[in-house]
Amino acid sequence: NESTHNRISYRIMEQALAYAAETYGRGKLVDIGCGSKPWRTAFAPYVSEHVGVDLVDSKRAPGTVDVIAGAYEVPLEDGCADTVLMSVVLEHLEQPARALAEAHRLCAPGGHLIMTAPLFWHLHERPRDFFRYTPDGLQFLLEEAGFEVAEIVPLSGVWTTISIELSYALRRY
């Protein structure tokens, strides 16, 4: 969502995922919680296929979801993905460890999981907004799921967080 109140976070996410796509993206990408596949162009030069998985087809871009399924049971073969993407999905799942275990099952040997999850963000998409994550919490969950963590990169600091929250607070005015 690149609307005015979201612009700062969108630009930060765009830069982070462009870096992740170039560094880790390759082969078949399985995008869990893909929505309208907003990061398709960032990954296109690096992946051979972009398979979108979501609970329902996108209202913004009908036809972008390739597999209708939840994050806990994706009907694809073990090790079928060279890259698994979960961008701003984990905070909306009641059982994040179960979803990460499923992502690990889908990930081919030597493959990569690329994910984003908030440490601080306003309540959104209620009632499906469950968690926020520290780097240590993510490290623990990822290792418990079987992943070897290559990088955890915080995407913003205190001033960016204050700016984003202020822009949301001022929306009503």
Side-chain angles (χ1 to χ4, degrees):
N1 181 350
E2 197 181 349
S3 54
T4 304
H5 62 277
N6 243 3
R7 185 131 330 168
I8 295 169
S9 60
Y10 184 86
R11 294 291 178 234
I12 290 168
M13 189 78 73
E14 185 177 48
Q15 290 172 358
L17 289 174
Y19 162 77
E22 182 179 355
T23 307
Y24 301 108
R26 68 175 193 282
K28 180 178 181 178
L29 168 74
V30 174
D31 185 351
I32 299 173
C34 69
S36 61
K37 291 185 185 172
W39 308 114
R40 175 182 11 210
T41 21
F43 283 88
Y46 310 103
V47 301
S48 56
E49 184 180 2
H50 189 149
V51 178
V53 177
D54 215 322
L55 286 171
V56 295
D57 200 10
S58 171
K59 290 179 182 175
R60 287 187 192 155
T64 54
V65 176
D66 304 297
V67 178
I68 303 291
Y72 306 133
E73 294 177 5
V74 179
L76 298 173
E77 295 177 20
D78 294 1
C80 68
D82 300 297
T83 309
V84 175
L85 175 63
M86 293 178 74
S87 183
V88 293
V89 171
L90 210 60
E91 70 270 22
H92 298 291
L93 302 174
E94 304 94 327
Q95 299 174 12
R98 186 173 163 205
L100 290 173
E102 181 68 353
H104 188 266
R105 180 189 72 77
L106 294 169
C107 209
H112 292 95
L113 167 66
I114 297 169
M115 63 173 291
T116 64
L119 169 62
F120 184 87
W121 197 252
H122 61 278
L123 293 175
H124 63 292
E125 295 184 29
R126 294 181 77 193
R128 300 210 48 80
D129 188 7
F130 299 104
F131 300 103
R132 301 298 182 265
Y133 296 95
T134 65
D136 295 331
L138 286 173
Q139 178 95 23
F140 173 81
L141 287 171
L142 290 164
E143 288 175 352
E144 283 289 303
F147 287 102
E148 180 183 324
V149 178
E151 290 187 78
I152 295 178
V153 180
L155 298 185
S156 68
V158 68
W159 295 114
T160 302
T161 301
I162 289 170
S163 298
I164 291 167
E165 287 305 305
L166 183 60
S167 71
Y168 269 89
L170 293 173
R171 279 178 69 193
R172 68 185 90 159
Y173 304 107

